Amino acid sequence: MPPSNKVEREAIFSRAINSLYVLSEDYDITVVGMEEYLNYKSINYEYYHKLNLHYLTPNFIDYNDPEVNAFISAYRKKFLTEPNQFSYRGYDVAKYFLEAYRTNGRSYLNKISSLQINTLQSNFKMKRIKEFSGFLNRSLFVVNFTPEYDMKAVSTISD
């Protein structure tokens, strides 16, 4: 029977990660998991790096990207605070759809599946679910906690 609540899941995962961490002294281990693991307070991030954790996420901010750093600087100057996930999301959604409209006019929805627009934290690959329905973003980043203590998007997945 699967664990029923977050505390129980975290306790089970923590025991497993601790065991894998010990084994990583003798074996090359890669853990493929969920973004939820990052919310577990009882696990040291060093373990994720040592275990080469990979997980899927719809959003990833690359702080080495000059456009991200320009956004952060402008945001700090304008609002006197740090941007949060909603700051990035709002910027990305506005940029994506406004650029789609600017380049394609009122028929932008007919071309939205093929658009390539750079955003800060999202990789939009819109796909219509059913005829006459709305669209769903079908793109995810594969993020890796590297053994060199870096965190990077190593690829994207979309259909």
Side-chain angles (χ1 to χ4, degrees):
M1 182 194 275
S4 60
N5 63 46
K6 182 184 182 301
V7 173
E8 190 177 341
R9 284 193 308 271
E10 181 172 347
I12 291 168
F13 182 72
S14 183
R15 283 194 300 273
I17 284 294
N18 287 334
S19 297
L20 290 171
Y21 185 77
V22 170
L23 288 171
S24 71
E25 295 301 323
D26 298 322
Y27 301 97
D28 287 330
I29 297 175
T30 296
V31 173
V32 179
M34 301 182 301
E35 187 175 18
E36 174 185 343
Y37 298 165
L38 306 182
N39 298 323
Y40 292 167
K41 304 281 188 246
S42 64
I43 300 171
N44 186 330
Y45 270 44
E46 179 181 338
Y47 287 26
Y48 295 146
H49 289 286
K50 180 77 171 166
L51 296 171
N52 199 25
L53 174 67
H54 288 69
Y55 68 92
L56 298 174
T57 182
N59 303 304
F60 177 75
I61 300 169
D62 179 1
Y63 291 100
N64 294 318
D65 181 343
E67 189 176 349
V68 168
N69 289 311
F71 172 80
I72 292 170
S73 294
Y75 192 94
R76 287 174 180 161
K77 185 176 181 180
K78 173 114 178 133
F79 299 108
L80 304 175
T81 189
E82 293 297 311
N84 61 28
Q85 69 180 24
F86 301 109
S87 311
Y88 293 103
R89 187 169 299 143
Y91 178 88
D92 283 358
V93 169
K95 181 178 181 185
Y96 185 79
F97 286 100
L98 289 172
E99 183 64 20
Y101 185 79
R102 186 186 70 76
T103 57
N104 297 294
R106 290 184 178 189
S107 65
Y108 76 97
L109 285 178
N110 297 331
K111 299 177 182 176
I112 204 160
S113 296
S114 63
L115 293 176
Q116 298 283 355
I117 298 171
N118 290 333
T119 55
L120 300 177
Q121 72 164 1
S122 305
N123 185 35
F124 291 110
K125 297 291 180 201
M126 304 306 260
K127 189 169 188 176
R128 190 179 293 278
I129 304 306
K130 295 184 212 171
E131 190 177 2
F132 305 115
S133 73
F135 291 86
L136 182 65
N137 184 16
R138 304 289 293 188
S139 181
L140 295 169
F141 291 100
V142 177
V143 177
N144 175 221
F145 277 77
T146 71
E148 298 78 32
Y149 295 96
D150 197 9
M151 211 173 135
K152 59 185 176 184
V154 291
S155 66
T156 57
I157 299 172
S158 59
D159 63 354

